């Protein structure tokens, strides 16, 4: 498939796909006229890259772990790196859950204030902190 089709199928810009190639995260065959052509497997690869970026991994880290993903090749150092990255992802999940809980508390307090007509002043903030939000 051509670069525009891959971009459309993955929701990633053509510019981002070119960047992935520059970072050795993605590769394409070139036609005699220089057009990029990607295999069907590129869709899954781009989706994986997007997921890893969303999890906070850098291009360099993704490039280091792709051989393990593609064909199972791993070294003890790579496995340690993957385990460390997984720990970072776990921490980000925990942080996001706390942020969500805090937002839930703010929403609950604001909803209660709307219904009772009281202001969202300092009392609401103290209540949110007291209730563990």
């Amino acid at each position: 498939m051509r670069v525009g089709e891959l971009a459309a199928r993955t929701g990633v810009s053509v510019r981002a796909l070119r960047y992935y190639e520059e970072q050795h995260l993605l590769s394409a065959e070139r036609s005699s006229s220089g057009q990029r052509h990607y295999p069907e497997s590129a869709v899954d690869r781009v989706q994986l890259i997007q997921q890893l970026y969303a999890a906070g991994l850098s291009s360099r880290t993704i490039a280091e772990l792709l051989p393990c993903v593609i064909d199972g090749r791993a070294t003890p150092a790579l496995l340690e790196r993957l385990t460390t990255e997984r720990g970072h992802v776990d921490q980000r999940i925990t942080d996001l859950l706390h942020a969500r809980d805090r937002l839930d508390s703010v929403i609950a307090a604001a909803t209660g204030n709307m219904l009772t007509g009281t202001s969202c002043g300092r009392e609401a903030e103290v209540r949110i902190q007291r209730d563990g939000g």
Side-chain angles (χ1 to χ4, degrees), residues 14-35:
V14 170
R15 183 175 179 184
L17 294 174
R18 289 183 183 131
Y19 174 78
Y20 295 170
E21 281 190 59
E22 290 171 10
Q23 299 301 308
H24 306 287
L25 304 176
L26 185 65
S27 61
E29 298 282 324
R30 294 285 184 146
S31 69
S32 58
S33 62
Q35 293 180 331

Side-chain angles (χ1 to χ4, degrees), residues 42-80:
V43 173
D44 288 335
R45 169 76 66 92
V46 170
Q47 290 170 342
L48 172 63
I49 292 166
Q50 287 291 294
Q51 290 168 342
L52 295 173
Y53 273 135
L57 277 66
S58 68
S59 296
R60 176 182 285 175
T61 300
I62 295 170
E64 290 172 2
L65 69 86
L66 278 177
C68 184
V69 171
I70 295 166
D71 60 16
R73 288 183 299 154
T75 63
L78 179 58
L79 289 173
E80 184 177 328

Side-chain angles (χ1 to χ4, degrees), residues 1-132:
M1 81 187 78
R2 294 172 64 181
V3 68
E5 182 182 350
L6 181 59
R9 289 183 58 188
T10 59
V12 174
S13 70
V14 170
R15 183 175 179 184
L17 294 174
R18 289 183 183 131
Y19 174 78
Y20 295 170
E21 281 190 59
E22 290 171 10
Q23 299 301 308
H24 306 287
L25 304 176
L26 185 65
S27 61
E29 298 282 324
R30 294 285 184 146
S31 69
S32 58
S33 62
Q35 293 180 331
R36 292 172 171 87
H37 291 276
Y38 296 92
E40 185 66 30
S41 62
V43 173
D44 288 335
R45 169 76 66 92
V46 170
Q47 290 170 342
L48 172 63
I49 292 166
Q50 287 291 294
Q51 290 168 342
L52 295 173
Y53 273 135
L57 277 66
S58 68
S59 296
R60 176 182 285 175
T61 300
I62 295 170
E64 290 172 2
L65 69 86
L66 278 177
C68 184
V69 171
I70 295 166
D71 60 16
R73 288 183 299 154
T75 63
L78 179 58
L79 289 173
E80 184 177 328
R81 179 79 185 267
L82 290 172
T83 301
T84 298
E85 289 299 332
R86 188 182 191 291
H88 293 154
V89 169
D90 284 341
Q91 184 58 54
R92 282 189 288 279
I93 290 169
T94 299
D95 294 344
L96 285 169
L97 289 170
H98 287 296
R100 184 193 63 193
D101 291 345
R102 191 75 182 259
L103 282 171
D104 286 345
S105 295
V106 170
I107 291 166
T111 301
N113 290 342
M114 266 182 29
L115 296 174
T116 62
T118 59
S119 68
C120 288
R122 178 83 178 124
E123 302 81 25
E125 184 178 327
V126 169
R127 187 172 56 247
I128 290 167
Q129 290 174 351
R130 182 192 67 225
D131 293 342

